[in-house]
Amino acid sequence: MDDCIFCKIIREEIPSQRVLEDGEFIAIRDIAPKAPVHVLVMPREHLASLDEIGRWDGGRAEKLLHFTVAVAEAAGVRESGYRVIINVGPDAGQEVDHLHLHVLGGERLGGLA
Ligand code: 5GP
Ligand code: ZN
């Protein structure tokens, strides 16, 4: 997507701090971290949100979850614990319309769930 900020980051047209990447997914530091560790995990392919996951064939979503665990390891929070959040649509406050998972940790997290 030409005007998608995360697609621009993936194409390296906008700089980011990469934590981990492979052929399908990348993980970057959030520009406005809400915890000591705040990493965004996203597919290189543009999906507007989790709502479009039905476009993927079997196994790809599972790979994304395994990649997310590897991101937690790389970010140093796998043992201490972390939270994974996916905002979908307006009521969740989704700001960037490119599927991404937030990985939050590095301190005891409060919150809803
Ligand atoms: P959402 O609310 O869509 O789930 O989360 C979007 C996240 O992207 C926010 O936490 C915001 O700080 C982050 N973000 C927005 N623009 C940029 C950017 O240009 N670079 C990085 N690294 N993060 C961004
Ligand atoms: Zn995109």
PDB file of all heavy atoms in Angstrom, residues 5-6 9 14-17 28-34 38 40 85-88 92-98 100 102, ligand 1:
ATOM      1  N   ILE A   5       1.865   3.792   6.481  1.00  0.00           N
ATOM      2  CA  ILE A   5       3.110   4.122   7.188  1.00  0.00           C
ATOM      3  C   ILE A   5       3.920   2.869   7.516  1.00  0.00           C
ATOM      4  O   ILE A   5       5.156   2.882   7.434  1.00  0.00           O
ATOM      5  CB  ILE A   5       2.797   4.959   8.446  1.00  0.00           C
ATOM      6  CG1 ILE A   5       4.055   5.591   9.002  1.00  0.00           C
ATOM      7  CG2 ILE A   5       2.097   4.151   9.508  1.00  0.00           C
ATOM      8  CD1 ILE A   5       3.785   6.765   9.906  1.00  0.00           C
ATOM      9  N   PHE A   6       3.257   1.763   7.838  1.00  0.00           N
ATOM     10  CA  PHE A   6       4.007   0.543   8.159  1.00  0.00           C
ATOM     11  C   PHE A   6       4.580  -0.093   6.889  1.00  0.00           C
ATOM     12  O   PHE A   6       5.690  -0.632   6.924  1.00  0.00           O
ATOM     13  CB  PHE A   6       3.153  -0.444   8.952  1.00  0.00           C
ATOM     14  CG  PHE A   6       2.932  -0.040  10.394  1.00  0.00           C
ATOM     15  CD1 PHE A   6       2.063  -0.775  11.209  1.00  0.00           C
ATOM     16  CD2 PHE A   6       3.591   1.044  10.951  1.00  0.00           C
ATOM     17  CE1 PHE A   6       1.858  -0.409  12.541  1.00  0.00           C
ATOM     18  CE2 PHE A   6       3.390   1.423  12.277  1.00  0.00           C
ATOM     19  CZ  PHE A   6       2.519   0.691  13.070  1.00  0.00           C
ATOM     20  N   ILE A   9       7.692   1.736   6.352  1.00  0.00           N
ATOM     21  CA  ILE A   9       8.737   1.248   7.271  1.00  0.00           C
ATOM     22  C   ILE A   9       9.298  -0.067   6.750  1.00  0.00           C
ATOM     23  O   ILE A   9      10.525  -0.276   6.749  1.00  0.00           O
ATOM     24  CB  ILE A   9       8.150   1.113   8.693  1.00  0.00           C
ATOM     25  CG1 ILE A   9       8.009   2.518   9.314  1.00  0.00           C
ATOM     26  CG2 ILE A   9       9.014   0.208   9.564  1.00  0.00           C
ATOM     27  CD1 ILE A   9       7.290   2.552  10.652  1.00  0.00           C
ATOM     28  N   ILE A  14      10.888   4.816   5.644  1.00  0.00           N
ATOM     29  CA  ILE A  14      10.859   5.493   6.947  1.00  0.00           C
ATOM     30  C   ILE A  14      11.723   4.645   7.874  1.00  0.00           C
ATOM     31  O   ILE A  14      11.595   3.422   7.897  1.00  0.00           O
ATOM     32  CB  ILE A  14       9.418   5.581   7.488  1.00  0.00           C
ATOM     33  CG1 ILE A  14       8.568   6.495   6.610  1.00  0.00           C
ATOM     34  CG2 ILE A  14       9.400   6.058   8.940  1.00  0.00           C
ATOM     35  CD1 ILE A  14       7.100   6.543   7.007  1.00  0.00           C
ATOM     36  N   PRO A  15      12.637   5.300   8.636  1.00  0.00           N
ATOM     37  CA  PRO A  15      13.510   4.519   9.516  1.00  0.00           C
ATOM     38  C   PRO A  15      12.759   3.930  10.701  1.00  0.00           C
ATOM     39  O   PRO A  15      11.736   4.464  11.139  1.00  0.00           O
ATOM     40  CB  PRO A  15      14.554   5.543   9.989  1.00  0.00           C
ATOM     41  CG  PRO A  15      13.947   6.876   9.760  1.00  0.00           C
ATOM     42  CD  PRO A  15      12.934   6.747   8.668  1.00  0.00           C
ATOM     43  N   SER A  16      13.269   2.819  11.199  1.00  0.00           N
ATOM     44  CA  SER A  16      12.704   2.203  12.399  1.00  0.00           C
ATOM     45  C   SER A  16      13.811   1.418  13.090  1.00  0.00           C
ATOM     46  O   SER A  16      14.835   1.109  12.480  1.00  0.00           O
ATOM     47  CB  SER A  16      11.551   1.260  12.040  1.00  0.00           C
ATOM     48  OG  SER A  16      12.042   0.155  11.291  1.00  0.00           O
ATOM     49  N   GLN A  17      13.572   1.110  14.350  1.00  0.00           N
ATOM     50  CA  GLN A  17      14.488   0.255  15.105  1.00  0.00           C
ATOM     51  C   GLN A  17      13.980  -1.167  15.019  1.00  0.00           C
ATOM     52  O   GLN A  17      12.990  -1.517  15.673  1.00  0.00           O
ATOM     53  CB  GLN A  17      14.515   0.684  16.570  1.00  0.00           C
ATOM     54  CG  GLN A  17      15.485   1.793  16.881  1.00  0.00           C
ATOM     55  CD  GLN A  17      15.529   1.999  18.389  1.00  0.00           C
ATOM     56  OE1 GLN A  17      14.696   2.709  18.940  1.00  0.00           O
ATOM     57  NE2 GLN A  17      16.469   1.356  19.050  1.00  0.00           N
ATOM     58  N   ILE A  28       9.402  -4.053  15.123  1.00  0.00           N
ATOM     59  CA  ILE A  28      10.081  -2.754  15.319  1.00  0.00           C
ATOM     60  C   ILE A  28       9.701  -2.179  16.679  1.00  0.00           C
ATOM     61  O   ILE A  28       8.641  -2.494  17.218  1.00  0.00           O
ATOM     62  CB  ILE A  28       9.693  -1.734  14.215  1.00  0.00           C
ATOM     63  CG1 ILE A  28       8.180  -1.441  14.252  1.00  0.00           C
ATOM     64  CG2 ILE A  28      10.117  -2.235  12.844  1.00  0.00           C
ATOM     65  CD1 ILE A  28       7.759  -0.247  13.391  1.00  0.00           C
ATOM     66  N   ARG A  29      10.551  -1.325  17.232  1.00  0.00           N
ATOM     67  CA  ARG A  29      10.221  -0.596  18.458  1.00  0.00           C
ATOM     68  C   ARG A  29       9.123   0.413  18.164  1.00  0.00           C
ATOM     69  O   ARG A  29       9.188   1.131  17.150  1.00  0.00           O
ATOM     70  CB  ARG A  29      11.445   0.154  18.990  1.00  0.00           C
ATOM     71  CG  ARG A  29      12.627  -0.734  19.258  1.00  0.00           C
ATOM     72  CD  ARG A  29      12.650  -1.250  20.669  1.00  0.00           C
ATOM     73  NE  ARG A  29      13.729  -2.215  20.826  1.00  0.00           N
ATOM     74  CZ  ARG A  29      13.806  -3.095  21.823  1.00  0.00           C
ATOM     75  NH1 ARG A  29      12.860  -3.138  22.761  1.00  0.00           N
ATOM     76  NH2 ARG A  29      14.806  -3.930  21.897  1.00  0.00           N
ATOM     77  N   ASP A  30       8.133   0.500  19.049  1.00  0.00           N
ATOM     78  CA  ASP A  30       7.085   1.521  18.907  1.00  0.00           C
ATOM     79  C   ASP A  30       7.706   2.902  19.112  1.00  0.00           C
ATOM     80  O   ASP A  30       8.532   3.105  20.003  1.00  0.00           O
ATOM     81  CB  ASP A  30       5.962   1.265  19.921  1.00  0.00           C
ATOM     82  CG  ASP A  30       4.697   2.028  19.572  1.00  0.00           C
ATOM     83  OD1 ASP A  30       4.705   3.277  19.671  1.00  0.00           O
ATOM     84  OD2 ASP A  30       3.708   1.385  19.186  1.00  0.00           O
ATOM     85  N   ILE A  31       7.275   3.856  18.299  1.00  0.00           N
ATOM     86  CA  ILE A  31       7.835   5.219  18.365  1.00  0.00           C
ATOM     87  C   ILE A  31       7.412   5.944  19.648  1.00  0.00           C
ATOM     88  O   ILE A  31       8.091   6.873  20.085  1.00  0.00           O
ATOM     89  CB  ILE A  31       7.431   6.021  17.102  1.00  0.00           C
ATOM     90  CG1 ILE A  31       8.387   7.166  16.832  1.00  0.00           C
ATOM     91  CG2 ILE A  31       5.994   6.501  17.181  1.00  0.00           C
ATOM     92  CD1 ILE A  31       8.221   7.792  15.460  1.00  0.00           C
ATOM     93  N   ALA A  32       6.328   5.522  20.256  1.00  0.00           N
ATOM     94  CA  ALA A  32       5.818   6.135  21.499  1.00  0.00           C
ATOM     95  C   ALA A  32       5.534   5.027  22.513  1.00  0.00           C
ATOM     96  O   ALA A  32       4.377   4.683  22.764  1.00  0.00           O
ATOM     97  CB  ALA A  32       4.561   6.938  21.203  1.00  0.00           C
ATOM     98  N   PRO A  33       6.608   4.447  23.084  1.00  0.00           N
ATOM     99  CA  PRO A  33       6.434   3.239  23.911  1.00  0.00           C
ATOM    100  C   PRO A  33       5.569   3.475  25.146  1.00  0.00           C
ATOM    101  O   PRO A  33       5.712   4.484  25.823  1.00  0.00           O
ATOM    102  CB  PRO A  33       7.870   2.862  24.287  1.00  0.00           C
ATOM    103  CG  PRO A  33       8.700   4.068  24.015  1.00  0.00           C
ATOM    104  CD  PRO A  33       8.011   4.852  22.959  1.00  0.00           C
ATOM    105  N   LYS A  34       4.682   2.515  25.409  1.00  0.00           N
ATOM    106  CA  LYS A  34       3.794   2.598  26.578  1.00  0.00           C
ATOM    107  C   LYS A  34       4.260   1.678  27.698  1.00  0.00           C
ATOM    108  O   LYS A  34       3.569   1.516  28.702  1.00  0.00           O
ATOM    109  CB  LYS A  34       2.367   2.270  26.151  1.00  0.00           C
ATOM    110  CG  LYS A  34       1.815   3.349  25.226  1.00  0.00           C
ATOM    111  CD  LYS A  34       0.450   3.026  24.654  1.00  0.00           C
ATOM    112  CE  LYS A  34       0.012   4.125  23.696  1.00  0.00           C
ATOM    113  NZ  LYS A  34       0.873   4.224  22.494  1.00  0.00           N
ATOM    114  N   HIS A  38       8.222  -2.134  24.182  1.00  0.00           N
ATOM    115  CA  HIS A  38       7.007  -1.980  23.374  1.00  0.00           C
ATOM    116  C   HIS A  38       7.410  -2.180  21.907  1.00  0.00           C
ATOM    117  O   HIS A  38       7.995  -1.289  21.292  1.00  0.00           O
ATOM    118  CB  HIS A  38       6.367  -0.607  23.587  1.00  0.00           C
ATOM    119  CG  HIS A  38       5.017  -0.463  22.936  1.00  0.00           C
ATOM    120  ND1 HIS A  38       4.209   0.631  23.150  1.00  0.00           N
ATOM    121  CD2 HIS A  38       4.339  -1.261  22.077  1.00  0.00           C
ATOM    122  CE1 HIS A  38       3.091   0.492  22.456  1.00  0.00           C
ATOM    123  NE2 HIS A  38       3.157  -0.646  21.783  1.00  0.00           N
ATOM    124  N   LEU A  40       6.315  -3.655  17.991  1.00  0.00           N
ATOM    125  CA  LEU A  40       5.206  -3.912  17.062  1.00  0.00           C
ATOM    126  C   LEU A  40       5.625  -5.011  16.097  1.00  0.00           C
ATOM    127  O   LEU A  40       6.677  -4.915  15.463  1.00  0.00           O
ATOM    128  CB  LEU A  40       4.866  -2.640  16.277  1.00  0.00           C
ATOM    129  CG  LEU A  40       4.498  -1.412  17.111  1.00  0.00           C
ATOM    130  CD1 LEU A  40       4.389  -0.178  16.202  1.00  0.00           C
ATOM    131  CD2 LEU A  40       3.207  -1.624  17.885  1.00  0.00           C
ATOM    132  N   ILE A  85      -1.172  -7.480  22.336  1.00  0.00           N
ATOM    133  CA  ILE A  85      -2.445  -6.792  22.078  1.00  0.00           C
ATOM    134  C   ILE A  85      -2.597  -6.568  20.576  1.00  0.00           C
ATOM    135  O   ILE A  85      -1.642  -6.184  19.899  1.00  0.00           O
ATOM    136  CB  ILE A  85      -2.481  -5.416  22.805  1.00  0.00           C
ATOM    137  CG1 ILE A  85      -2.468  -5.614  24.321  1.00  0.00           C
ATOM    138  CG2 ILE A  85      -3.696  -4.594  22.370  1.00  0.00           C
ATOM    139  CD1 ILE A  85      -2.348  -4.317  25.103  1.00  0.00           C
ATOM    140  N   ILE A  86      -3.793  -6.804  20.096  1.00  0.00           N
ATOM    141  CA  ILE A  86      -4.128  -6.452  18.704  1.00  0.00           C
ATOM    142  C   ILE A  86      -5.360  -5.554  18.753  1.00  0.00           C
ATOM    143  O   ILE A  86      -6.436  -5.994  19.183  1.00  0.00           O
ATOM    144  CB  ILE A  86      -4.444  -7.696  17.846  1.00  0.00           C
ATOM    145  CG1 ILE A  86      -3.316  -8.724  17.915  1.00  0.00           C
ATOM    146  CG2 ILE A  86      -4.716  -7.278  16.402  1.00  0.00           C
ATOM    147  CD1 ILE A  86      -3.620 -10.021  17.152  1.00  0.00           C
ATOM    148  N   ASN A  87      -5.206  -4.316  18.333  1.00  0.00           N
ATOM    149  CA  ASN A  87      -6.346  -3.420  18.209  1.00  0.00           C
ATOM    150  C   ASN A  87      -6.981  -3.608  16.840  1.00  0.00           C
ATOM    151  O   ASN A  87      -6.277  -3.656  15.823  1.00  0.00           O
ATOM    152  CB  ASN A  87      -5.905  -1.961  18.386  1.00  0.00           C
ATOM    153  CG  ASN A  87      -5.447  -1.674  19.803  1.00  0.00           C
ATOM    154  OD1 ASN A  87      -6.065  -2.124  20.774  1.00  0.00           O
ATOM    155  ND2 ASN A  87      -4.354  -0.938  19.943  1.00  0.00           N
ATOM    156  N   VAL A  88      -8.301  -3.719  16.833  1.00  0.00           N
ATOM    157  CA  VAL A  88      -9.031  -3.922  15.572  1.00  0.00           C
ATOM    158  C   VAL A  88     -10.159  -2.892  15.499  1.00  0.00           C
ATOM    159  O   VAL A  88     -11.109  -2.964  16.278  1.00  0.00           O
ATOM    160  CB  VAL A  88      -9.615  -5.350  15.472  1.00  0.00           C
ATOM    161  CG1 VAL A  88     -10.275  -5.562  14.103  1.00  0.00           C
ATOM    162  CG2 VAL A  88      -8.541  -6.406  15.717  1.00  0.00           C
ATOM    163  N   ALA A  92     -11.497  -0.052  19.271  1.00  0.00           N
ATOM    164  CA  ALA A  92     -10.239  -0.497  19.896  1.00  0.00           C
ATOM    165  C   ALA A  92      -9.157   0.572  19.785  1.00  0.00           C
ATOM    166  O   ALA A  92      -8.072   0.420  20.340  1.00  0.00           O
ATOM    167  CB  ALA A  92      -9.762  -1.799  19.263  1.00  0.00           C
ATOM    168  N   GLY A  93      -9.446   1.642  19.038  1.00  0.00           N
ATOM    169  CA  GLY A  93      -8.464   2.716  18.878  1.00  0.00           C
ATOM    170  C   GLY A  93      -7.365   2.387  17.891  1.00  0.00           C
ATOM    171  O   GLY A  93      -6.259   2.932  18.002  1.00  0.00           O
ATOM    172  N   GLN A  94      -7.642   1.508  16.932  1.00  0.00           N
ATOM    173  CA  GLN A  94      -6.608   1.190  15.931  1.00  0.00           C
ATOM    174  C   GLN A  94      -6.261   2.442  15.141  1.00  0.00           C
ATOM    175  O   GLN A  94      -7.138   3.063  14.531  1.00  0.00           O
ATOM    176  CB  GLN A  94      -7.090   0.082  14.983  1.00  0.00           C
ATOM    177  CG  GLN A  94      -6.002  -0.341  13.998  1.00  0.00           C
ATOM    178  CD  GLN A  94      -6.446  -1.447  13.038  1.00  0.00           C
ATOM    179  OE1 GLN A  94      -7.549  -1.977  13.158  1.00  0.00           O
ATOM    180  NE2 GLN A  94      -5.586  -1.770  12.099  1.00  0.00           N
ATOM    181  N   GLU A  95      -4.966   2.812  15.173  1.00  0.00           N
ATOM    182  CA  GLU A  95      -4.519   4.045  14.515  1.00  0.00           C
ATOM    183  C   GLU A  95      -3.894   3.775  13.160  1.00  0.00           C
ATOM    184  O   GLU A  95      -3.979   4.618  12.265  1.00  0.00           O
ATOM    185  CB  GLU A  95      -3.457   4.749  15.390  1.00  0.00           C
ATOM    186  CG  GLU A  95      -3.997   5.361  16.659  1.00  0.00           C
ATOM    187  CD  GLU A  95      -2.879   5.846  17.567  1.00  0.00           C
ATOM    188  OE1 GLU A  95      -1.714   5.878  17.121  1.00  0.00           O
ATOM    189  OE2 GLU A  95      -3.179   6.165  18.724  1.00  0.00           O
ATOM    190  N   VAL A  96      -3.215   2.649  13.041  1.00  0.00           N
ATOM    191  CA  VAL A  96      -2.526   2.333  11.783  1.00  0.00           C
ATOM    192  C   VAL A  96      -3.195   1.105  11.172  1.00  0.00           C
ATOM    193  O   VAL A  96      -3.248   0.032  11.791  1.00  0.00           O
ATOM    194  CB  VAL A  96      -1.028   2.064  12.025  1.00  0.00           C
ATOM    195  CG1 VAL A  96      -0.339   1.713  10.713  1.00  0.00           C
ATOM    196  CG2 VAL A  96      -0.360   3.273  12.685  1.00  0.00           C
ATOM    197  N   ASP A  97      -3.697   1.284   9.944  1.00  0.00           N
ATOM    198  CA  ASP A  97      -4.472   0.218   9.303  1.00  0.00           C
ATOM    199  C   ASP A  97      -3.568  -0.756   8.554  1.00  0.00           C
ATOM    200  O   ASP A  97      -3.663  -0.914   7.314  1.00  0.00           O
ATOM    201  CB  ASP A  97      -5.529   0.825   8.374  1.00  0.00           C
ATOM    202  CG  ASP A  97      -6.635   1.513   9.167  1.00  0.00           C
ATOM    203  OD1 ASP A  97      -6.821   1.169  10.345  1.00  0.00           O
ATOM    204  OD2 ASP A  97      -7.290   2.413   8.603  1.00  0.00           O
ATOM    205  N   HIS A  98      -2.657  -1.351   9.309  1.00  0.00           N
ATOM    206  CA  HIS A  98      -1.796  -2.450   8.816  1.00  0.00           C
ATOM    207  C   HIS A  98      -1.671  -3.390  10.012  1.00  0.00           C
ATOM    208  O   HIS A  98      -1.192  -2.963  11.079  1.00  0.00           O
ATOM    209  CB  HIS A  98      -0.440  -1.883   8.372  1.00  0.00           C
ATOM    210  CG  HIS A  98       0.523  -2.906   7.818  1.00  0.00           C
ATOM    211  ND1 HIS A  98       1.124  -2.784   6.583  1.00  0.00           N
ATOM    212  CD2 HIS A  98       1.007  -4.053   8.363  1.00  0.00           C
ATOM    213  CE1 HIS A  98       1.928  -3.827   6.382  1.00  0.00           C
ATOM    214  NE2 HIS A  98       1.880  -4.607   7.457  1.00  0.00           N
ATOM    215  N   HIS A 100      -0.961  -5.359  13.073  1.00  0.00           N
ATOM    216  CA  HIS A 100       0.224  -5.399  13.933  1.00  0.00           C
ATOM    217  C   HIS A 100      -0.164  -5.868  15.317  1.00  0.00           C
ATOM    218  O   HIS A 100      -1.285  -5.638  15.783  1.00  0.00           O
ATOM    219  CB  HIS A 100       0.915  -4.037  14.000  1.00  0.00           C
ATOM    220  CG  HIS A 100       0.017  -2.919  14.430  1.00  0.00           C
ATOM    221  ND1 HIS A 100      -0.887  -2.324  13.576  1.00  0.00           N
ATOM    222  CD2 HIS A 100      -0.148  -2.300  15.630  1.00  0.00           C
ATOM    223  CE1 HIS A 100      -1.545  -1.385  14.223  1.00  0.00           C
ATOM    224  NE2 HIS A 100      -1.124  -1.353  15.481  1.00  0.00           N
ATOM    225  N   HIS A 102       1.017  -5.651  19.317  1.00  0.00           N
ATOM    226  CA  HIS A 102       1.858  -4.960  20.291  1.00  0.00           C
ATOM    227  C   HIS A 102       2.413  -6.002  21.260  1.00  0.00           C
ATOM    228  O   HIS A 102       1.647  -6.808  21.805  1.00  0.00           O
ATOM    229  CB  HIS A 102       1.034  -3.965  21.110  1.00  0.00           C
ATOM    230  CG  HIS A 102       0.424  -2.852  20.318  1.00  0.00           C
ATOM    231  ND1 HIS A 102       0.908  -1.557  20.346  1.00  0.00           N
ATOM    232  CD2 HIS A 102      -0.642  -2.819  19.469  1.00  0.00           C
ATOM    233  CE1 HIS A 102       0.175  -0.786  19.569  1.00  0.00           C
ATOM    234  NE2 HIS A 102      -0.788  -1.532  19.030  1.00  0.00           N
TER     235      HIS A 102
HETATM  236  P1  5GP B   1      -2.613   0.958  17.017  1.00  0.00           P
HETATM  237  O1  5GP B   1      -3.291   2.000  17.855  1.00  0.00           O
HETATM  238  O2  5GP B   1      -2.918   1.123  15.548  1.00  0.00           O
HETATM  239  O3  5GP B   1      -2.847  -0.431  17.521  1.00  0.00           O
HETATM  240  O4  5GP B   1      -1.054   1.196  17.228  1.00  0.00           O
HETATM  241  C1  5GP B   1      -0.261   1.931  16.347  1.00  0.00           C
HETATM  242  C2  5GP B   1       1.076   2.096  17.020  1.00  0.00           C
HETATM  243  O5  5GP B   1       2.017   2.511  16.038  1.00  0.00           O
HETATM  244  C3  5GP B   1       1.093   3.155  18.129  1.00  0.00           C
HETATM  245  O6  5GP B   1       1.515   2.559  19.343  1.00  0.00           O
HETATM  246  C4  5GP B   1       2.101   4.199  17.617  1.00  0.00           C
HETATM  247  O7  5GP B   1       2.912   4.737  18.649  1.00  0.00           O
HETATM  248  C5  5GP B   1       2.905   3.411  16.619  1.00  0.00           C
HETATM  249  N1  5GP B   1       3.452   4.202  15.526  1.00  0.00           N
HETATM  250  C6  5GP B   1       2.785   5.115  14.775  1.00  0.00           C
HETATM  251  N2  5GP B   1       3.593   5.637  13.836  1.00  0.00           N
HETATM  252  C7  5GP B   1       4.800   5.029  13.993  1.00  0.00           C
HETATM  253  C8  5GP B   1       6.049   5.146  13.305  1.00  0.00           C
HETATM  254  O8  5GP B   1       6.229   5.919  12.362  1.00  0.00           O
HETATM  255  N3  5GP B   1       7.071   4.358  13.749  1.00  0.00           N
HETATM  256  C9  5GP B   1       6.918   3.484  14.790  1.00  0.00           C
HETATM  257  N4  5GP B   1       7.993   2.761  15.143  1.00  0.00           N
HETATM  258  N5  5GP B   1       5.757   3.353  15.447  1.00  0.00           N
HETATM  259  C10 5GP B   1       4.704   4.111  15.054  1.00  0.00           C
END
